[in-house]
Amino acid sequence: MSSLADHSPASAPLEQRQPTAAPQPFLGLIEAVTVEDPVLFPFDGSILRKHAQNAWIWAARDLCPDLLGEVETMSQADLEALMPQVVTRMRDGLKQAEDYETGRRLRAQLGGPEALERLPFVINALHSRALLIKAEAFGKAANGIDNDHTLGTALQAMPLQDASATALLMHVAIGQIANPTRLVTTALRIAGGGSEAAIQRGGFAPLVDAILAHAQNQLHALQQTGPFADVDMTCRALDRFHRLIRSLTGYVEFARNSRWTMVLAALTKHTSDRIEQRLKEVVPDLNQGLRKMPGTDRLDHDRLLSALNGMYLLAAVRDSRDSLAVNALFDHAWSQSGEALELHLTRNLELLKLNPDDVLIGTRLDAAIKMAEIRFNPEYAETLRRARHTAERRA
């Protein structure tokens, strides 16, 4: 009897074959538990996008071509109606992979042993997709629950004795919750303490895992570089990372050398490493962007934009520094940027008085005032704007 994994050639991994499936794995049915690279630590409640994508292509092309047909034209509702059959075939395909040769071919199809190891988690998420919708609703509702007792009752309604289901549900819920600290403190009260042992006894280990998984999922937003990097996304990722990490470190009593302690330390280091180089560039970008060019003056637009982005980043790091390991570097960049910015403001104001019609000086001064609003405060920036208008009127 031929195996389900034999229904198409497996001479190359799925990443190397032209996909016929839609870009979003399973048309978004498990998007709530899908995370981005890099994944330093896998968690039971989350699925790396490339693993979900390869499982989707395997299901669409190799297991269910008779069911799914042209998936590019299929709606999510169409797929939902077929999911019981799709999940059954995926489970059968995974079971047949216990055979050595079939397993070898399936590893190649999915892109490697790690993808095969994570396949049961993909199948579990697909099987639990109705629960994922309920978990998303719980997360949204939790934001509006003011009463701690009511929140605790809702939290205890989760299947805490089923670790695999709870892992998925917690991951989805945390993705919707603006203030994870409330959920953590409520869970610790129910568990009867903040120690790792109490959390595990209470069935809330998946909650800690979900928070760490979401914190890890902010790393991909911190990889952008250059003047056109999305600084808003970077700042939001830093703020989210901080809120998630502080919800744990502020209340949970982590054991020395435990897995959670190791994960926390590693995530803090990797996040800080991604920020360090950009902090080092803040003052050089500021100086290069705001100085008057020797000879024929011109604007260095890239440096000016990088300097402005650097101010936003600096402010975001200031608000998140308790969850990072960049204190010395931040202090230096914060102090030096303030001194350099005041110097350039003074110089450009003086230059504007002498050359009120110089567009380049005016542009640099406007940018410097915006940076001052971020670095200092809006009141100081408004004072500078009045000084700018006064200089122009006197001229």
Side-chain angles (χ1 to χ4, degrees):
M1 179 178 178
S2 65
S3 73
L4 291 170
D6 289 336
H7 286 181
S8 73
S11 57
L14 291 178
E15 298 106 321
Q16 299 173 17
R17 294 152 59 186
Q18 291 298 317
T20 58
Q24 197 174 52
F26 297 96
L27 304 187
L29 288 178
I30 55 171
E31 189 66 17
V33 293
T34 303
V35 296
E36 310 294 339
D37 265 322
V39 170
L40 310 174
F41 304 97
F43 293 96
D44 291 354
S46 59
I47 299 165
L48 183 58
R49 183 171 299 280
K50 67 180 180 182
H51 293 159
Q53 180 68 13
N54 285 349
W56 171 224
I57 297 173
W58 172 61
R61 176 185 293 155
D62 300 346
L63 301 182
C64 310
D66 56 320
L67 289 177
L68 303 180
E70 296 296 326
V71 294
E72 295 90 342
T73 60
M74 180 176 286
S75 70
Q76 193 178 80
D78 293 335
L79 179 60
E80 175 62 42
L82 298 169
M83 280 311 298
Q85 298 173 73
V86 174
V87 170
T88 296
R89 292 190 188 186
M90 291 179 71
R91 281 177 170 163
D92 290 345
L94 179 61
K95 184 172 181 58
Q96 291 182 28
E98 294 174 2
D99 171 73
Y100 175 80
E101 185 59 28
T102 304
R104 183 189 65 79
R105 285 197 292 269
L106 183 54
R107 279 194 298 274
Q109 287 175 285
L110 293 175
E114 182 185 359
L116 180 56
E117 289 174 6
R118 299 299 295 174
L119 185 56
F121 297 93
V122 177
I123 296 173
N124 187 38
L126 291 167
H127 174 71
S128 307
R129 62 197 180 280
L131 291 177
L132 302 186
I133 297 173
K134 293 182 179 179
E136 188 172 15
F138 164 77
K140 292 176 179 178
N143 291 320
I145 298 177
D146 297 326
N147 185 285
D148 290 344
H149 176 74
T150 303
L151 181 60
T153 301
L155 190 58
Q156 286 177 288
M158 284 194 169
L160 299 178
Q161 303 309 311
D162 185 342
S164 61
T166 305
L168 289 167
L169 301 184
M170 287 295 186
H171 186 93
V172 176
I174 288 297
Q176 300 298 322
I177 290 177
N179 181 13
T181 294
R182 278 200 68 218
L183 204 61
V184 171
T185 55
T186 300
L188 298 189
R189 187 174 62 255
I190 296 170
S195 68
E196 290 193 11
I199 292 170
Q200 289 164 352
R201 281 197 306 270
F204 291 110
L207 171 60
V208 177
D209 282 344
I211 291 174
L212 291 172
H214 276 278
Q216 177 174 245
N217 200 35
Q218 308 308 309
L219 290 176
H220 74 97
L222 305 178
Q223 297 183 125
Q224 305 174 80
T225 58
F228 300 106
D230 189 340
V231 69
D232 289 339
M233 185 169 73
T234 297
C235 292
R236 287 195 301 271
L238 273 176
D239 176 69
R240 185 62 174 166
F241 180 85
H242 173 64
R243 288 172 182 267
L244 291 162
I245 294 300
R246 289 298 292 169
S247 73
L248 296 178
T249 57
Y251 302 92
V252 176
E253 302 162 16
F254 289 105
R256 188 176 182 180
N257 297 326
S258 71
R259 179 178 182 271
W260 283 340
T261 300
M262 177 189 70
V263 171
L264 272 169
L267 292 182
T268 300
K269 181 180 185 305
H270 280 272
T271 302
S272 300
D273 287 347
R274 281 167 165 74
I275 297 300
E276 279 188 355
Q277 184 56 41
R278 296 172 72 175
L279 287 178
K280 293 176 183 176
E281 294 168 354
V282 169
V283 175
D285 284 340
L286 191 154
N287 286 328
Q288 291 293 322
L290 295 178
R291 70 183 178 92
K292 187 177 185 296
M293 293 284 192
T296 302
D297 194 15
R298 61 180 177 82
L299 286 177
D300 188 336
H301 292 282
D302 286 356
R303 284 284 195 169
L304 206 56
L305 182 57
S306 292
L308 184 58
N309 286 347
M311 285 296 109
Y312 281 113
L313 178 65
L314 204 57
V317 173
R318 175 196 59 197
D319 296 336
S320 307
R321 62 184 300 183
D322 288 345
S323 301
L324 301 170
V326 293
N327 282 340
L329 185 57
F330 168 79
D331 288 339
H332 178 76
W334 185 256
S335 173
Q336 292 294 310
S337 65
E339 293 176 8
L341 187 52
E342 288 190 322
L343 176 62
H344 286 291
L345 283 163
T346 301
R347 285 181 178 175
N348 280 288
L349 272 171
E350 291 299 323
L351 288 171
L352 188 66
K353 291 176 183 178
L354 297 175
N355 304 280
D357 297 325
D358 193 314
V359 176
L360 301 183
I361 294 173
T363 301
R364 288 195 192 96
L365 185 54
D366 287 340
I369 292 173
K370 181 60 181 177
M371 293 178 205
E373 183 175 357
I374 301 166
R375 170 59 178 79
F376 298 108
N377 54 67
E379 293 74 22
Y380 180 44
E382 189 56 36
T383 300
L384 291 168
R385 290 189 183 98
R386 288 196 296 269
R388 183 196 196 288
H389 295 322
T390 299
E392 290 178 321
R393 283 200 305 270
R394 285 178 180 171

